Amino acid sequence: MATQNPPVSQTRSFSTVFLIEMWERFGFYGMQVLMVTYMVKKLGFVDSKANLIWGAAAALIYATPAIGGWVGDKLIGTRRTMLLGAVVLTLGYAMLWIPTNNAYFLYVALGVIIVGNGFFKPNAGNLVRKIYEGDDTKIDSAFTIYYMAVNIGSTISMLLTPWIRDYVGAKYGDAWGWHTAFGVCAIGLILGLINYTLMQRTLAHIGSPADDKPVDVKRLGMVLLAAIGMVFVSAFILQDQTVAKWCVYAAGVVILGIFVHLIRSSEPHERAGLVAALVLTAQTIFFFIFYQQMSTSLNLFAQRNVDLSFDLFGLHLFNWIPEQFQSLNAIWIVLLSPVLVFLYNTMGKVGKNPSVAAKFAWGFAAVAIGFFIYGVGARFAVNGQVSSWIMVWGYGLYSLGELLVSGLGLAMIARYVPARMGGFMMGAYYVASGISQYLGSVVANFASIPTDIKDPLVSLPVYTALFNKLGFAGVACTVIALAMLPLMKKLSSSHSDSVANNPLPAVRSEEFNTPS
């Protein structure tokens, strides 16, 4: 890349990416926190339809970064693709700002958001890696701060957009309440783009080789045409639940087939690592089924069966809006991450740091207990409503499980997959995660409440039955993970011998940055 004169510090370059990432996550989670409720309450969709539409959208949101990273690296440049993604995302949120109840318009807007996310997400993370390339002493700290940007932006927006919806809705009508809240997501990204414009010179020397070359108008035109096509393909998939289901299942078969092909065609010394990666990827997929409950079944549970008042020792503290409970996930991750870092470092110093497979088992155990807490809380419900504190502690354990399982997913791929397959397998991992998000929506539909049921005493046992089943599923995943530990230890040992003490560097997810 070109050298800046005068040179720009890594901190200033990093700050530019940090801030636009923070605003991008502000917009995304501000939209996500409202989307399922919007489809149910404003568009009149039944729970099952809203869950599946969002599940399909989440699957596509996870899948498209695999393409966006390639576009940034090979076609138009990492910086340009990230910027294009931010602009497209702004357009998508702005479309949701328009007060219309047309369902197909929603599908197109979600298609725009899916494409924008695919351009933005992988390239923002790649820029951070490139800023600190070769500086191993700073990369972990940088990604920790970057990860904080995700949670700062998401926490603020998940608390803010439901409040804006209610405030504007009370003054100017329900329709303007919903669409103004979505509009705030667009405003957040506009602020991020203004800030990026003012600071973009700090990234002039960072990017892929394509960033150093003049814009290839033909390539850019092809990318834009493909993006427009992908918007309408996404809208088509979202509006037809049968098409969405078969696309997801077909993608699952393809991913499994790719793993089998890679294992069969790999060198003998590479197979142990690939089998280990396959086992851990399968466990991660199961985790994302639990994760998807946050925006589906847990969100709708908060709408119908949670006492929104926070009281302590008989003293009323404050009330929350149902959607705001989703922010507990980000809040707990911020609180728990330093604790886990401390524990990992302390245990590592005495040679007791658990394996990734063991951490997966702990994570599933935490998730299981979290869902059982919801079930236990129902036993103390008053008039069909459980205490808001039940949600706090349930989300706490759920978030601990997220850090232990999802937080180590990409580090696991980097550790066990040969370098020549690494980029491809990262993309496959994201696609697999997206598939499980859709499956999570399918699971959430076991607690789908008919529109004619308004009594919380009727809906409560439906939700608690699902949460208890998810708790037992978490126990089963824990038992399986524990049973796999001897095999994983053997595979890890074989893999370590094959790489001759020259392991791949850990690659961390910008969303869940925890030590491996």
Side-chain angles (χ1 to χ4, degrees):
M1 297 303 297
T3 302
Q4 281 284 80
N5 189 22
V8 176
S9 70
Q10 289 175 321
T11 302
R12 291 189 65 191
S13 298
F14 171 77
S15 297
T16 304
V17 184
F18 170 92
L19 289 170
I20 195 168
E21 171 73 19
M22 185 182 73
W23 283 113
E24 187 276 328
R25 292 290 88 182
F26 173 94
F28 180 81
Y29 282 102
M31 175 274 299
Q32 176 184 282
V33 78
L34 296 175
M35 186 51 65
V36 171
T37 319
Y38 171 72
M39 287 189 277
V40 171
K41 290 189 173 181
K42 188 60 181 169
L43 299 186
F45 292 179
V46 294
D47 288 7
S48 57
K49 183 176 181 180
N51 286 338
L52 289 177
I53 289 171
W54 179 245
L60 291 167
I61 283 167
Y62 267 75
T64 49
I67 302 171
W70 176 75
V71 171
D73 283 342
K74 305 296 184 183
L75 296 183
I76 62 175
T78 304
R79 291 195 313 273
R80 292 172 185 145
T81 308
M82 182 190 75
L83 182 60
L84 175 62
V87 172
V88 173
L89 280 166
T90 305
L91 177 61
Y93 300 138
M95 289 176 69
L96 293 175
W97 201 345
I98 299 171
T100 174
N101 291 339
N102 185 292
Y104 190 75
F105 189 83
L106 170 67
Y107 302 143
V108 173
L110 285 174
V112 174
I113 291 167
I114 288 163
V115 170
N117 181 80
F119 284 143
F120 182 91
K121 200 65 190 162
N123 291 291
N126 281 339
L127 284 177
V128 175
R129 293 188 181 99
K130 292 175 186 294
I131 289 168
Y132 292 97
E133 203 164 30
D135 193 344
D136 293 338
T137 61
K138 291 184 179 180
I139 188 66
D140 280 358
S141 296
F143 268 105
T144 299
I145 298 170
Y146 190 64
Y147 146 85
M148 292 297 289
V150 172
N151 288 284
I152 290 169
S154 63
T155 302
I156 293 171
S157 64
M158 284 193 286
L159 291 172
L160 183 63
T161 56
W163 178 84
I164 288 173
R165 179 205 57 198
D166 284 5
Y167 180 81
V168 175
K171 283 186 171 291
Y172 302 104
D174 186 55
W176 280 111
W178 285 104
H179 295 288
T180 302
F182 287 129
V184 168
C185 301
I187 292 171
L189 253 180
I190 290 170
L191 292 174
L193 285 167
I194 291 171
N195 183 80
Y196 179 82
T197 302
L198 296 174
M199 298 178 67
Q200 62 180 332
R201 62 170 293 275
T202 64
L203 291 175
H205 62 301
I206 303 293
S208 62
D211 281 301
D212 279 341
K213 301 174 182 176
V215 177
D216 187 320
V217 177
K218 185 177 179 180
R219 278 187 177 180
L220 179 60
M222 291 173 62
V223 168
L224 293 175
L225 283 174
I228 293 169
M230 185 60 193
V231 167
F232 288 100
V233 168
S234 299
F236 175 72
I237 292 171
L238 294 178
Q239 61 89 33
D240 192 315
Q241 295 173 41
T242 301
V243 172
K245 178 176 68 175
W246 285 111
C247 284
V248 169
Y249 293 161
V253 171
V254 169
I255 293 296
L256 180 61
I258 288 169
F259 256 115
V260 171
H261 171 71
L262 290 176
I263 291 170
R264 290 181 61 184
S265 62
S266 62
E267 299 295 327
H269 68 275
E270 296 173 334
R271 286 175 187 162
L274 284 169
V275 172
L278 175 59
V279 171
L280 293 174
T281 298
Q283 292 180 359
T284 305
I285 287 173
F286 276 104
F287 170 79
F288 274 105
I289 292 174
F290 296 111
Y291 179 84
Q292 183 68 356
Q293 304 312 307
M294 181 175 70
S295 57
T296 54
S297 63
L298 281 171
N299 175 27
L300 295 173
F301 175 64
Q303 302 285 334
R304 299 180 174 116
N305 289 104
V306 175
D307 181 354
L308 305 178
S309 175
F310 279 88
D311 302 312
L312 189 63
F313 303 119
L315 178 67
H316 175 69
L317 302 177
F318 53 86
N319 280 18
W320 259 10
I321 299 167
E323 290 90 348
Q324 290 179 324
F325 284 98
Q326 293 177 63
S327 69
L328 289 168
N329 179 236
I331 292 169
W332 272 114
I333 286 176
V334 171
L335 294 175
L336 291 171
S337 292
V339 177
L340 284 181
V341 169
F342 173 77
L343 289 175
Y344 290 163
N345 290 340
T346 302
M347 297 171 78
K349 288 177 183 176
V350 296
K352 299 291 186 181
N353 194 16
S355 66
V356 173
K359 291 171 185 173
F360 271 43
W362 290 0
F364 281 120
V367 169
I369 297 170
F371 277 104
F372 280 134
I373 282 178
Y374 300 127
V376 171
R379 295 180 177 272
F380 302 94
V382 178
N383 297 323
Q385 293 192 318
V386 304
S387 167
S388 54
W389 293 106
I390 292 295
M391 299 294 282
V392 172
W393 298 115
Y395 265 98
L397 285 154
Y398 170 97
S399 302
L400 175 61
E402 178 179 336
L403 285 167
L404 289 166
V405 180
S406 177
L408 300 173
L410 293 183
M412 169 271 296
I413 291 288
R415 175 176 294 182
Y416 291 117
V417 173
R420 61 189 173 83
M421 305 176 187
F424 178 80
M425 287 307 302
M426 290 291 179
Y429 172 81
Y430 274 122
V431 173
S433 300
I435 292 168
S436 61
Q437 298 263 25
Y438 181 82
L439 296 177
S441 293
V442 173
V443 169
N445 279 346
F446 285 107
S448 177
I449 307 296
T451 54
D452 60 332
I453 293 179
K454 308 295 182 184
D455 187 351
L457 290 171
V458 177
S459 58
L460 181 62
V462 178
Y463 283 115
T464 52
L466 171 62
F467 298 150
N468 285 330
K469 287 173 184 174
L470 286 168
F472 284 116
V475 170
C477 288
T478 304
V479 171
I480 292 170
L482 289 172
M484 295 294 290
L485 284 179
L487 172 62
M488 292 304 300
K489 184 176 181 180
K490 181 178 179 181
L491 290 171
S492 296
S493 177
S494 299
H495 172 70
S496 297
D497 292 342
S498 71
V499 297
N501 297 318
N502 185 29
L504 292 170
V507 177
R508 291 172 170 80
S509 163
E510 63 269 26
E511 297 248 355
F512 310 109
N513 183 50
T514 54
S516 58

